[in-house]
Amino acid sequence: MSRGNTRQRIQDVALELFAEQGYEKTSLREISERLGVTKAALYYHFKTKEDILTSAFEDYSKKPYAELIEWARHQPSTLETKLEIMRRYSELILQATPLFRFMQENQATLRDLKIGDDAKQRVFSLLDLIRDKDAPLADQVRCSSALFTMHASLFTLADVDADQEEKRKAALEVAQELVTSAHRGAD
Amino acid sequence: MSRGNTRQRIQDVALELFAEQGYEKTSLREISERLGVTKAALYYHFKTKEDILTSAFEDYSKKPYAELIEWARHQPSTLETKLEIMRRYSELILQATPLFRFMQENQATLRDLKIGDDAKQRVFSLLDLIRDKDAPLADQVRCSSALFTMHASLFTLADVDADQEEKRKAALEVAQELVTSAHRGAD
Amino acid sequence: MSRGNTRQRIQDVALELFAEQGYEKTSLREISERLGVTKAALYYHFKTKEDILTSAFEDYSKKPYAELIEWARHQPSTLETKLEIMRRYSELILQATPLFRFMQENQATLRDLKIGDDAKQRVFSLLDLIRDKDAPLADQVRCSSALFTMHASLFTLADVDADQEEKRKAALEVAQELVTSAHRGAD
Amino acid sequence: MSRGNTRQRIQDVALELFAEQGYEKTSLREISERLGVTKAALYYHFKTKEDILTSAFEDYSKKPYAELIEWARHQPSTLETKLEIMRRYSELILQATPLFRFMQENQATLRDLKIGDDAKQRVFSLLDLIRDKDAPLADQVRCSSALFTMHASLFTLADVDADQEEKRKAALEVAQELVTSAHRGAD
DNA sequence: TATGAATGAGAATTCATTCAT
DNA sequence: TATGAATGAATTCTCATTCAT
């Protein structure tokens, strides 16, 4: 039964646990138990613990992210473009919620994982698309805050009674305001 | 030599390493080696690994935080009050940078540490002082984003060439804008 | 090689060392070295150090003990029954000598192990079958002394030159005399 | 305050804890905390942990024991002598209850403490005074059981409602019967 | 007659990983 | 496509003991 998709089930369970409890507090034993398989089975599908994470990172976000960047590269650097980048990014995040939750809550850990650098690069690439490096400090803050707002809101608003899509929109609204404000400041 | 202050030296080194590498990736061996003492020495001063963190949390932030809340409690719930809360909070953060850095980057870990609940409570208490629970979702986001902005900026702006005080001011400015915007929305 | 029986080999070696040197003086390192495996191997088979002991206790004595009690429950409370209980118990002890040796010589330790309560319960259950709670103090002493005599004799008579079966019989004889004497006193 | 007797207070508390929880499960920290002093203070009075025990053993039982043996040596080897030995021994035990409780419940531990050999010697010396080495096995058992009965009864009868002196007498009665019975058998 | 600060040795336990089957 | 059995390295923690003051 459940054939072929074992690989993905492992990724999903792992990601969920990594996000919930942290990467190092989550043992392979725990993951395998929750899946009803042996630890050794995980090693049939993945080379290492880190590999489970790395592959999930790629499977869930590599392509959409590349597409976003590719698209942005062909646009003029206007405010409209920046706002659309934010919109697309907010959807990208929503599609890979557990992954972003994991990254948001395990930043220290991330730093010495292979994907840590990638994740950092991505944020900086996005940042470069929306900010002006010579703008005043406050505008830099606005731009990184815009990104952070979207990363964090899904979990920050855990106590608020609303569905994910509404939250996404609210976060996007604020993020876009921040970007707009920073963009204006640059004139 | 170095008499009496061993306890604090332990806290400082631990906090630094916890923030840098994460709580679980930092072993007591590492801490003690960096201090030039034995692992056992740590246990003379603290009951557990977690206790090092807990005590640092309290020694560095309990009093200032309590004072901030105490002060806020006696103020009218005006925009000016809210802005002043943000200002004071930004200074509180600056005084305990390593602690806040740790909390920002180890949220998953924090969740099953004793201080996790405390830290969460604090954020929510502050949030309650600046937000209106019946305001639209976007305004809720503005308020939590304001707090997040200050928590994150010290490290987010690592690549920006400016001193800590300037960064603090820039982050505060953006945070205050967000709070102002949310406050207006509530009218 | 030596397939499948590792679990029991661990129990046996552990029990032997526990009895010889005491439970806490016996380290898992010692057990594993004597078996030619790693400490970690013990943890593949048992959850904790205490679990090795608990499982040995159950594997070696749970069933025979339950059968003894079950049998006794269906007998009339005569002297003959009591003497037969003692006889069966003496054989039960002989079958699990290392276990009883351990319990006899580690009573203080036993008290804060999970099996401590069980062991105590057992002795009291047996005691209830052979003594009369309203009998004079001396008769109470006779009955517990009867049990003690059998528990202790296997090791007490270490310096005496005789085989185990002979010692068992001798101890049983004395124990039965004590029970008989207590029973007569109750008339 | 409490001057001069600190040494004995340490012995008493230690003995009590050793008996209750076992020798190795009892740490010097625990002993010192219960006394309201520092661990280091214990080292002013005693050279090692074992030394606390050794000295207590001597202070509480050396002299009375030596006197008992000395007395016995000058008596004829009659039944009356044996019975009187038991009587005196039962009183000796009562005077040093915690010590005997400790020895009874920590036999495995005792084996690798210095006093272990002493304690063993004593029991064998007493045994030699009351038993006939050429007697049948059952008579050997009677004699060691007599000693065991007295050692164990103080704690075995914990659930029985009677005072220490009554219990001592009851245990003595049974022990004397056993000795008598063994003595008769030797004719 | 004590204490504060520290150490060295060792304990139990956990974990990612391996490999023959 | 898995599992059972095991390992080696590390970790947190505890303890008896020491010594300058």
Side-chain angles (χ1 to χ4, degrees):
Chain A
M1 48 205 92
S2 75
R3 15 182 335 272
N5 63 340
T6 301
R7 188 186 147 90
Q8 198 190 317
R9 282 173 60 227
I10 294 173
Q11 288 174 331
D12 289 345
V13 166
L15 218 45
E16 197 182 336
L17 288 173
F18 289 165
E20 217 169 280
Q21 321 179 329
Y23 177 76
E24 24 261 315
K25 289 276 282 189
T26 303
S27 68
L28 295 185
R29 182 178 52 68
E30 210 171 350
I31 295 172
S32 62
E33 268 171 12
R34 197 178 276 211
L35 284 163
V37 297
T38 343
K39 260 190 298 171
L42 305 183
Y43 280 89
Y44 178 78
H45 294 281
F46 300 97
K47 273 216 298 280
T48 64
K49 182 185 183 183
E50 194 174 345
D51 191 34
I52 301 179
L53 184 61
T54 306
S55 70
F57 180 72
E58 296 190 349
D59 293 1
Y60 275 106
S61 69
K62 192 164 200 171
K63 208 173 126 205
Y65 178 77
E67 286 168 359
L68 168 52
I69 292 295
E70 176 61 15
W71 174 85
R73 225 178 276 280
H74 296 295
Q75 303 308 120
S77 185
T78 63
L79 176 57
E80 282 68 40
T81 298
K82 291 178 182 176
L83 298 183
E84 177 63 9
I85 289 173
M86 297 310 276
R87 199 192 58 73
R88 293 187 178 207
Y89 190 52
S90 79
E91 281 182 340
L92 190 163
I93 291 172
L94 190 60
Q95 300 311 314
T97 307
L99 185 61
F100 279 86
R101 186 170 171 221
F102 167 75
M103 292 192 290
Q104 170 68 14
E105 307 202 354
N106 290 273
Q107 290 175 67
T109 293
L110 215 53
R111 210 169 299 131
D112 50 40
L113 294 177
K114 283 181 218 122
I115 61 165
D117 282 342
D118 286 20
K120 208 174 163 185
Q121 282 310 318
R122 285 192 187 176
V123 173
F124 278 111
S125 299
L126 281 172
L127 223 39
D128 286 344
L129 290 170
I130 56 175
R131 78 173 167 187
D132 173 357
K133 280 213 159 184
D134 300 324
L137 205 47
D139 284 333
Q140 312 276 347
V141 171
R142 278 179 190 94
C143 290
S144 52
S145 192
L147 290 179
F148 250 97
T149 296
M150 295 201 305
H151 287 152
S153 292
L154 293 161
F155 332 117
T156 294
L157 300 174
D159 67 320
V160 177
D161 187 37
D163 69 23
Q164 291 288 76
E165 177 59 15
E166 284 181 281
K167 290 178 185 175
R168 199 211 95 225
K169 276 187 187 151
L172 176 58
E173 182 187 331
V174 176
Q176 287 181 326
E177 260 172 41
L178 285 160
V179 169
T180 303
S181 180
H183 186 83
R184 293 265 153 75
D187 290 342
Chain B
M1 49 202 93
S2 75
R3 17 183 327 275
N5 60 343
T6 302
R7 188 189 148 89
Q8 200 190 314
R9 283 174 59 227
I10 294 173
Q11 288 174 330
D12 289 345
V13 166
L15 218 45
E16 197 182 335
L17 288 172
F18 289 164
E20 217 170 279
Q21 322 180 328
Y23 177 76
E24 24 259 319
K25 290 276 283 188
T26 304
S27 69
L28 296 183
R29 181 182 50 69
E30 210 171 351
I31 296 172
S32 64
E33 268 171 13
R34 196 177 276 213
L35 283 165
V37 297
T38 348
K39 266 181 297 168
L42 306 184
Y43 282 93
Y44 177 77
H45 294 281
F46 300 96
K47 273 215 293 280
T48 62
K49 183 185 182 182
E50 191 173 347
D51 190 34
I52 301 180
L53 183 61
T54 305
S55 70
F57 179 73
E58 296 191 349
D59 292 1
Y60 275 107
S61 70
K62 192 164 199 169
K63 209 174 126 204
Y65 177 77
E67 285 168 357
L68 168 51
I69 291 296
E70 176 63 12
W71 173 85
R73 223 178 278 279
H74 296 293
Q75 304 307 120
S77 186
T78 63
L79 177 56
E80 283 68 41
T81 299
K82 292 178 181 176
L83 298 182
E84 176 62 11
I85 289 172
M86 297 310 275
R87 200 193 57 72
R88 293 187 178 207
Y89 190 51
S90 80
E91 280 182 339
L92 188 163
I93 292 172
L94 190 61
Q95 300 311 315
T97 306
L99 185 60
F100 280 87
R101 183 167 174 225
F102 166 75
M103 293 193 290
Q104 171 68 14
E105 308 201 354
N106 289 272
Q107 290 174 67
T109 293
L110 214 51
R111 208 168 302 130
D112 49 41
L113 294 178
K114 283 186 218 113
I115 60 166
D117 282 341
D118 285 21
K120 208 175 163 184
Q121 282 310 318
R122 285 191 188 177
V123 172
F124 277 111
S125 299
L126 281 172
L127 221 40
D128 285 343
L129 289 171
I130 56 176
R131 80 173 164 187
D132 173 357
K133 279 213 159 183
D134 301 324
L137 206 46
D139 285 332
Q140 311 277 346
V141 172
R142 280 179 188 92
C143 289
S144 52
S145 194
L147 290 178
F148 251 95
T149 296
M150 296 201 306
H151 287 153
S153 290
L154 294 160
F155 332 117
T156 294
L157 300 174
D159 66 320
V160 176
D161 187 37
D163 69 22
Q164 291 288 76
E165 177 59 15
E166 283 181 283
K167 291 177 185 176
R168 199 210 96 225
K169 276 185 188 153
L172 175 58
E173 181 187 333
V174 176
Q176 287 181 326
E177 259 171 43
L178 285 161
V179 169
T180 304
S181 181
H183 185 84
R184 294 265 153 73
D187 290 343
Chain C
M1 50 204 92
S2 74
R3 15 181 331 271
N5 60 344
T6 302
R7 187 187 148 89
Q8 200 190 315
R9 282 173 60 227
I10 295 172
Q11 288 174 331
D12 289 344
V13 167
L15 219 44
E16 197 182 335
L17 288 172
F18 290 165
E20 218 169 279
Q21 321 179 329
Y23 177 76
E24 25 260 318
K25 291 277 282 186
T26 304
S27 69
L28 295 183
R29 182 181 51 68
E30 209 171 353
I31 296 172
S32 64
E33 268 171 13
R34 196 178 278 213
L35 282 164
V37 296
T38 351
K39 263 184 298 168
L42 305 184
Y43 281 92
Y44 177 76
H45 294 280
F46 300 96
K47 273 215 293 279
T48 61
K49 182 184 183 183
E50 190 173 347
D51 191 34
I52 301 179
L53 183 61
T54 306
S55 70
F57 180 73
E58 295 191 349
D59 292 1
Y60 275 107
S61 70
K62 192 165 200 169
K63 208 174 127 206
Y65 178 77
E67 285 168 357
L68 168 52
I69 292 296
E70 177 62 13
W71 174 86
R73 224 177 276 279
H74 295 293
Q75 304 307 120
S77 186
T78 63
L79 176 57
E80 282 68 42
T81 298
K82 293 178 182 177
L83 297 183
E84 176 62 11
I85 289 172
M86 297 310 277
R87 199 192 58 74
R88 293 187 179 208
Y89 190 52
S90 79
E91 281 183 338
L92 190 163
I93 293 172
L94 190 60
Q95 300 310 315
T97 306
L99 185 61
F100 279 87
R101 185 168 172 222
F102 167 75
M103 293 193 289
Q104 171 67 15
E105 307 201 354
N106 290 273
Q107 290 174 67
T109 292
L110 214 51
R111 209 170 300 131
D112 50 41
L113 294 177
K114 282 185 217 113
I115 60 166
D117 282 342
D118 284 21
K120 208 175 164 184
Q121 282 310 317
R122 285 191 187 176
V123 173
F124 277 111
S125 298
L126 281 172
L127 221 39
D128 285 343
L129 289 171
I130 56 175
R131 79 173 166 188
D132 173 358
K133 278 211 160 184
D134 300 322
L137 205 47
D139 284 334
Q140 312 276 348
V141 172
R142 278 179 189 95
C143 289
S144 52
S145 193
L147 290 180
F148 250 96
T149 296
M150 296 201 305
H151 288 153
S153 290
L154 294 161
F155 331 118
T156 295
L157 300 173
D159 67 321
V160 177
D161 186 37
D163 68 22
Q164 291 288 74
E165 177 60 14
E166 282 182 284
K167 290 178 184 175
R168 199 210 96 224
K169 276 187 187 152
L172 175 59
E173 182 187 331
V174 175
Q176 287 181 324
E177 261 172 41
L178 284 161
V179 169
T180 304
S181 181
H183 186 85
R184 293 267 153 74
D187 289 342
Chain D
M1 46 203 97
S2 76
R3 14 185 334 274
N5 62 341
T6 300
R7 186 187 149 89
Q8 198 189 317
R9 283 174 59 228
I10 295 173
Q11 288 175 330
D12 289 345
V13 166
L15 218 46
E16 196 182 336
L17 289 172
F18 289 164
E20 218 169 279
Q21 323 178 326
Y23 177 76
E24 25 259 317
K25 290 275 283 187
T26 303
S27 67
L28 295 185
R29 182 178 53 67
E30 211 171 349
I31 295 171
S32 62
E33 268 171 13
R34 197 177 277 211
L35 283 164
V37 298
T38 341
K39 261 190 298 169
L42 305 183
Y43 281 89
Y44 178 78
H45 294 281
F46 300 97
K47 274 216 297 281
T48 64
K49 182 184 183 183
E50 194 174 345
D51 191 32
I52 301 179
L53 184 60
T54 308
S55 70
F57 180 73
E58 295 190 349
D59 293 1
Y60 275 107
S61 70
K62 192 165 201 170
K63 208 174 128 205
Y65 178 77
E67 285 168 359
L68 167 52
I69 293 296
E70 176 61 15
W71 174 86
R73 223 177 278 280
H74 295 294
Q75 303 307 121
S77 185
T78 64
L79 176 57
E80 282 68 40
T81 298
K82 292 178 182 176
L83 298 183
E84 176 63 9
I85 289 172
M86 297 309 277
R87 200 193 58 73
R88 294 188 177 206
Y89 189 51
S90 80
E91 280 182 340
L92 189 162
I93 292 172
L94 190 60
Q95 300 310 314
T97 307
L99 184 61
F100 279 87
R101 184 168 174 222
F102 166 75
M103 292 192 290
Q104 170 68 13
E105 307 202 354
N106 291 273
Q107 290 174 68
T109 293
L110 214 52
R111 208 169 300 130
D112 49 40
L113 294 177
K114 283 181 219 125
I115 61 166
D117 282 341
D118 286 20
K120 208 175 164 184
Q121 281 312 319
R122 286 190 186 176
V123 172
F124 278 110
S125 299
L126 281 172
L127 221 39
D128 285 345
L129 289 170
I130 57 176
R131 79 173 166 187
D132 174 357
K133 279 213 159 180
D134 300 324
L137 205 47
D139 284 333
Q140 312 277 346
V141 172
R142 280 182 187 93
C143 289
S144 52
S145 192
L147 290 179
F148 250 97
T149 295
M150 295 202 306
H151 288 153
S153 291
L154 294 161
F155 331 118
T156 294
L157 300 175
D159 67 320
V160 177
D161 186 38
D163 69 23
Q164 291 289 76
E165 176 58 15
E166 283 181 282
K167 290 177 183 176
R168 200 211 94 225
K169 276 185 185 153
L172 175 58
E173 181 186 334
V174 176
Q176 287 181 326
E177 258 171 43
L178 285 161
V179 170
T180 303
S181 182
H183 186 84
R184 294 265 154 75
D187 290 343

